[in-house]
Amino acid sequence: MPKLPTAFRLAWAHALRQTLSALAVIIGVAFIAGTFIVTDGARDGMNTQTAGLYRGTTAVVFPEGSEGFGPAALDRVRAMPGVAAAEGSVFGPGAIRSTASQEVALPEIGWLSAVQSLPFQPFDLVAGRLPGPGEAVIDARTAERYGYRLGTELAASAGDNRPTVSYSLVGTIDTEGTRFADRPMVGLAPDDAREAFGDEDFGRIMVAATPGTDTAALVTALRAGLGAEVLTHDEVVALELADAYRNLDLIRAGLFLFVLIAVLTAGFVIANTFTIVLAQRSRQIALLRLVGSSRAQIFWGVLLEAGLVGGAASLAGLLAGVAVAAGLRAVLDGLGSGFGGGFVVEPRTLAVAFATGVLVTVAAAALPAWRGTRVPPVTALAETATEVARPIGWVRVAVGAVLLGGALASLLLPASIPQVALIGILGFFGLVALGPAYIPFLARAVGWPLARLGGWAKLAVAYSARNRRRVAATTTTLVLCVSLVSAVMIGAESIEGGVDAEMATSFPADFTVTGEVPAELIAVLDADPRLDTVLAQRTGELDGTVVLAADPAILARANPDPKEGDPGSLRAGTAVVTGDFGASVGERLTLGGEDFEIVAVIGEPGPFAMVTAADAERLFPEVAVSGLMITAAGSVEDAAGAVRPAVAAYPSLSLTDVDAFRDARTQGIDRLLAAVIALLALAALIALVGIANTLSLSVVERTREHGVLRALGVGRRGLRGMLALEAVLVAVVGGALGLGLGTWVAWAAVEALKAEGPITLTVPVGRVLALLGVVALAALAASVLPARRAVRQSVTASLAGE
C-alpha cells in the first residue's frame, strides 16, 4: 500500500493535468449540493407556510361526505362552549377577467377564497382593509402587474364555468413566501365566495378556542355536535405537509435525475483523463516497477491519487453548491413551483455530496489504473510513452450489439414511457460500447470535405480518428447530453404541434364570448372592419331535433376530416348534421316546417344539426344568444383591439382570447423545455470540459510531433487551426450521434403519447441545427487554451520534449 505523502506528491506534481477533470467533479458535486440545499430549504419553507396558514386555529372541522357545512352548522359551532371564534372556509380555482378599467390579456387563472376574519386570516394586509359584501382583496403582485388601485373595479369568476362578477377592490394582501405566491389570489367575503362557487355550504370550518380550553375535549364536543371529522392544528398541518412533501419529493427526484446525468458525464471525463495521463506516465510507472514497486502498490497509489483529486474538487464543489442552488431556485421559480424558504445546508448535504465526488473519481479511475499497471516495464521504457492503441475486443462488440438489438426489440413492446426509457438507455450504452468501432470512420467522413483546406487540416482529421478509444470516450459525454436535449426539444415541438391541432378543432375561432350576449354588443362587433366573422350562437329544438347556429368557415376549421361532404359549404337553406343523426349528404331535413338540404356529415358526438346564424335566428328568434365566436379579418392583435374593449363593458360576459389561451397552454411546455435545457447545460459543460481536457493532454503527448511540424513549416496559425478543427470534428460527430439517438427517443415518446391526443413527430430543424452549431462553437472555444499552450512552446523545446 503506498504512503499518503507519496500519493500526495504525485497528485501535486500532475495537478495541472488533472485540473479539468477536477472541474468536472466540481460541477457534479455542486449540482448535488445545490439540489439538497434548494429542496431542504423548500421543505423548511413549507413547514413555515403551512403553520402560518393555520395560525390562530385550534381545530378544523371537515365534512364526512361530499356535503359541506351550511350557515346553521357554523352558528352551532360558534355557540359551543370553549369556542372563541369560528369561520367557514371556501377556496378553489378562480380567474381574473377584463373590466372596463383594467385589461387582462386572458382569464388569469389563480385562486379565489373566502377571507376569514382574524385570527384565521393567513395573509397580511399590504394596503386597505378586509372585504365586506360586494368587495374584494387581491395579492399585491397582481395588483401591481395590472395597475389595480383601491376603489377600482375587479372582475372575477370561480373558474371558467361560473359567471363573472364585479367587485370593488378594497385591499391588497401579501402572499409572498406562501404556496399561493405563483398565481393571483382574490379574496372575497365568505357569503360572496359561496355564491361565486354556486355552493350554499362551506368546505370546512376553522375553530379558535378560548384561552384555557382543553383541546381534546373541544375536539370531542365538535365531533359529537356535528358528526364530522375534526383535526387539531397539529394534525391538519401534518396532513397538508404530507401532500406538499409528495410534490417536493417528485421535484427532488427529477433534479436527481439530472444529477445522475451530470455525475455519469463527469465519470466518463475522469476515466478518459486517467487513461491518457497514465499512458503518458508509463515510463514513470515502469521505473517504479524496476525499483521494487508491485502492481498492487501502483494500482492503489493511483486510486489514492484519484481520491485526493476527488476530495479537493469535492470541497470546491461544496462551495460552488450555493451558486448552483441559486440557479436551481431560479429554474424552479420559472416553472411556477411556488416553493418558498431559504437556503438550508444540512450535514447530510455535505457528507453525501463530498462522498459522491470522491467515490465517482476513484471508481472512474479504477479501470484506467488497472490497465496502466499491466504495461510491461520494458515496453514502457521505450523512447516515447503514449497510450497504446488496443484493438476492440469481441466481447465489447458483442455487448454493444446486444444492447442495440435490445433497443430495437423494445419497439415491439406496447408504446409507453417505460418503453421510451428502455430505448434511450439501451441505445445510449449500445452506442458507447460500439463507439471505438465506428466513430473514427464517422470522424473521417465528416472531416473529408475539410481535409481539402490544406495539410494541417488533413492532420487534424487524422488525429481526430487516430486513437479510436480516446475519441469514442470523448464523444460519449456529448452523445448523452445532446441526445437528451434534442429529445426534449423535439418532444416539446411535437406536443406544441399537437396542442395547435387540438386548438384548431376545439377552438376554431380567434375569440369566444360566453354568457347572454346583448344585441348592442353584436352590432358593435359586426360593424368593426377588423373582424371577419361574428357568429351569434343559438341553440334550440325543432321537431325533436337539436339545432345549433354555425358559420361555414369556423365549421370547416373545427372539422378538417368530415365523414361526408364539406362543412365549409354551409349556406342558407342547407344543414350540416352529425354522424349519430343517421342521415347522408343530399337528403332533406325538415326543421320548423322548412326543408334544408344536408351538405355535410361530421363526426361530432350526439345527434344534432347545424344551420347558418341567419336561419337559426329566423327559426327560433325567442332564444337568446348564448355566446359569440369571432374570427379576425387581419392580424389577431388588431382584432383583439376591437374585441377586448367592447366585451369589457359587459362584466357578466367571459372573453377567451384563443391565441392567448393557446400560449398559456404551451407556456408550461416552453418553461419546462427551458428548465430542462438549463439543467442539462451543467452536464453539457462537463462534456465540453472533457473535450478541452482530452485536447490539452493530447497536446502534452504530441509535444514532439508539434515541434516537428513547426520545423517543417507549419506556422502557429496552422497549428491552432489543426487543434481547433480536431475539437470541432469530435464535437460534431458526438453531436450528430446525439441528435440521431435523441430523435429516435422523441419518436418513441410521440408514439407513446398518441393515445392522449393528436400528436405527430415534429422536428424543429432550425433549433436542431442551432444546437449542433452551439456544440461546434463551444468545442472551438474549448480548443483555445490547449492551442495556446501548443504554440507558445519554442520549436527546440518541443523537439526536446517527450
Side-chain angles (χ1 to χ4, degrees):
M1 186 74 179
K3 295 181 179 179
L4 184 61
T6 302
F8 183 81
R9 283 196 297 270
L10 287 172
W12 182 256
H14 300 283
L16 186 60
R17 300 186 185 185
Q18 297 284 7
T19 300
L20 291 178
S21 59
L23 181 58
V25 178
I26 290 171
I27 297 172
V29 170
F31 206 164
I32 297 171
T35 298
F36 275 122
I37 290 171
V38 168
T39 54
D40 288 342
R43 183 179 289 263
D44 185 66
M46 286 176 179
N47 295 337
T48 303
Q49 293 166 13
T50 306
L53 193 63
Y54 292 97
R55 62 186 180 187
T57 302
T58 305
V60 181
V61 186
F62 295 90
E64 287 288 355
S66 58
E67 297 292 328
F69 298 107
L74 179 60
D75 290 338
R76 286 204 309 273
V77 172
R78 287 172 174 166
M80 286 185 177
V83 174
E87 285 284 357
S89 174
V90 180
F91 178 82
I96 302 173
R97 302 184 181 273
S98 296
T99 65
S101 56
Q102 265 79 26
E103 182 178 302
V104 182
L106 73 159
E108 183 75 25
I109 305 301
W111 305 107
L112 191 146
S113 172
V115 176
Q116 291 93 8
S117 61
L118 296 177
F120 305 108
Q121 178 54 38
F123 307 114
D124 295 322
L125 276 171
V126 176
R129 57 179 176 82
L130 296 178
E135 297 173 339
V137 294
I138 192 173
D139 65 284
R141 186 169 58 178
T142 302
E144 182 179 358
R145 177 181 179 186
Y146 291 117
Y148 283 103
R149 298 290 180 267
L150 298 187
T152 59
E153 185 182 26
L154 170 69
S157 67
D160 289 330
N161 298 321
R162 298 293 304 162
T164 300
V165 180
S166 292
Y167 305 94
S168 176
L169 185 64
V170 297
T172 57
I173 56 177
D174 178 19
T175 60
E176 293 295 329
T178 73
R179 68 183 65 178
F180 311 109
D182 60 318
R183 294 183 182 180
M185 166 70 79
V186 176
L188 306 176
D191 289 341
D192 286 346
R194 285 193 297 131
E195 184 177 350
F197 283 100
D199 196 348
E200 294 296 325
D201 296 330
F202 295 107
R204 63 178 69 176
I205 296 177
M206 322 281 284
V207 180
T210 56
T213 301
D214 181 66
T215 301
L218 177 61
V219 167
T220 301
L222 289 170
R223 285 174 179 162
L226 297 175
E229 181 183 6
V230 183
L231 298 180
T232 65
H233 171 275
D234 292 342
E235 289 171 341
V236 75
V237 167
L239 182 66
E240 295 212 3
L241 280 177
D243 291 335
Y245 288 163
R246 276 194 288 270
N247 294 333
L248 181 60
D249 289 341
L250 288 175
I251 295 289
R252 174 177 280 180
L255 289 176
F256 272 114
L257 175 62
F258 292 100
V259 167
L260 178 63
I261 294 168
V263 169
L264 183 62
T265 306
F268 279 117
V269 171
I270 295 164
N272 199 30
T273 300
F274 271 92
T275 298
I276 301 171
V277 168
L278 291 177
Q280 294 171 355
R281 287 164 48 185
S282 58
R283 295 185 67 185
Q284 181 189 73
I285 294 173
L287 288 171
L288 290 174
R289 292 287 308 282
L290 289 175
V291 297
S293 296
S294 66
R295 285 179 175 175
Q297 287 178 316
I298 294 173
F299 174 77
W300 289 108
V302 173
L303 292 191
L304 187 54
E305 180 182 344
L308 291 172
V309 172
S314 297
L315 289 175
L318 291 175
L319 296 177
V322 177
V324 172
L328 290 177
R329 172 62 62 81
V331 168
L332 292 176
D333 288 345
L335 286 173
S337 67
F339 290 146
F343 289 167
V344 176
V345 182
E346 298 281 354
R348 177 257 290 134
T349 299
L350 303 177
V352 171
F354 181 83
T356 302
V358 174
L359 290 175
V360 167
T361 307
V362 172
L367 184 58
W370 182 83
R371 286 174 176 167
T373 62
R374 315 308 291 178
V375 179
V378 175
T379 303
L381 288 174
E383 181 68 17
T384 58
T386 59
E387 184 183 352
V388 178
R390 293 178 290 109
I392 306 170
W394 65 269
V395 174
R396 180 166 184 164
V397 173
V399 170
V402 168
L403 290 172
L404 283 180
L408 290 170
S410 301
L411 296 174
L412 301 176
L413 298 174
S416 61
I417 297 303
Q419 179 217 32
V420 175
L422 193 62
I423 289 173
I425 294 171
L426 294 179
F428 169 71
F429 284 105
L431 289 176
V432 170
L434 293 176
Y438 64 84
I439 285 179
F441 298 103
L442 289 179
R444 292 191 188 96
V446 173
W448 178 78
L450 301 174
R452 298 173 178 268
L453 295 175
W456 59 268
K458 291 180 181 179
L459 286 173
V461 175
Y463 277 134
S464 66
R466 184 168 72 174
N467 192 317
R468 59 180 64 213
R469 288 178 179 271
R470 182 180 301 178
V471 175
T474 304
T475 57
T476 294
T477 54
L478 276 176
V479 172
L480 175 62
C481 298
V482 174
S483 63
L484 290 169
V485 172
S486 58
V488 172
M489 190 180 292
I490 295 171
E493 188 75 12
S494 301
I495 292 173
E496 288 190 6
V499 170
D500 288 339
E502 180 188 355
M503 293 289 292
T505 55
S506 302
F507 299 90
D510 296 314
F511 304 90
T512 61
V513 178
T514 55
E516 191 170 329
V517 183
E520 296 83 5
L521 176 60
I522 299 175
V524 169
L525 295 175
D526 264 329
D528 199 303
R530 292 172 288 182
L531 305 179
D532 181 24
T533 302
V534 180
L535 171 62
Q537 295 179 288
R538 283 184 172 87
T539 302
E541 186 172 342
L542 297 170
D543 304 325
T545 300
V546 177
V547 183
L548 284 69
D551 175 80
I554 294 176
L555 199 57
R557 192 189 301 182
N559 300 275
D561 299 311
K563 291 187 174 182
E564 268 189 272
D566 177 16
S569 63
L570 179 69
R571 298 291 183 271
T574 65
V576 174
V577 298
T578 60
D580 293 341
F581 199 83
S584 300
V585 171
E587 294 184 9
R588 311 294 294 185
L589 176 66
T590 301
L591 297 171
E594 298 183 26
D595 283 342
F596 290 82
E597 180 187 359
I598 297 175
V599 295
V601 180
I602 59 175
E604 292 288 336
F608 57 85
M610 286 154 283
V611 298
T612 64
D615 285 345
E617 185 177 8
R618 189 181 70 257
L619 289 172
F620 35 89
E622 74 284 353
V623 175
V625 176
S626 59
L628 300 176
M629 299 183 76
I630 305 167
T631 61
S635 71
V636 176
E637 290 182 0
D638 290 341
V643 175
R644 287 176 184 164
V647 176
Y650 301 89
S652 62
L653 299 178
S654 299
L655 170 65
T656 300
D657 181 332
V658 176
D659 196 43
F661 184 60
R662 183 263 180 202
D663 290 342
R665 288 192 65 182
T666 58
Q667 187 180 43
I669 300 173
D670 293 336
R671 285 180 176 178
L672 181 62
L673 174 62
V676 169
I677 291 176
L679 292 171
L680 287 174
L682 287 173
L685 179 60
I686 296 174
L688 294 170
V689 165
I691 292 179
N693 199 26
T694 301
L695 206 57
S696 296
L697 295 171
S698 296
V699 166
V700 174
E701 185 178 80
R702 297 182 336 222
T703 299
R704 183 172 294 178
E705 293 179 39
H706 291 164
V708 172
L709 291 174
R710 295 280 302 281
L712 293 175
V714 177
R716 293 186 175 185
R717 182 176 299 178
L719 194 56
R720 284 195 182 96
M722 183 180 71
L723 292 171
L725 185 56
E726 183 180 345
V728 170
L729 280 175
V730 171
V732 169
V733 168
L737 286 171
L739 287 177
L741 179 60
T743 303
W744 187 18
V745 171
W747 170 81
V750 166
E751 292 298 312
L753 293 173
K754 276 187 175 179
E756 304 295 328
I759 180 173
T760 56
L761 183 70
T762 305
V763 180
V765 178
R767 290 186 185 180
V768 166
L769 293 178
L771 174 62
L772 199 58
V774 168
V775 169
L777 290 175
L780 190 63
S783 71
V784 171
L785 289 178
R788 185 181 177 205
R789 175 175 180 175
V791 301
R792 286 182 67 180
Q793 270 194 313
S794 66
V795 175
T796 54
S798 298
L799 291 172
E802 291 187 14

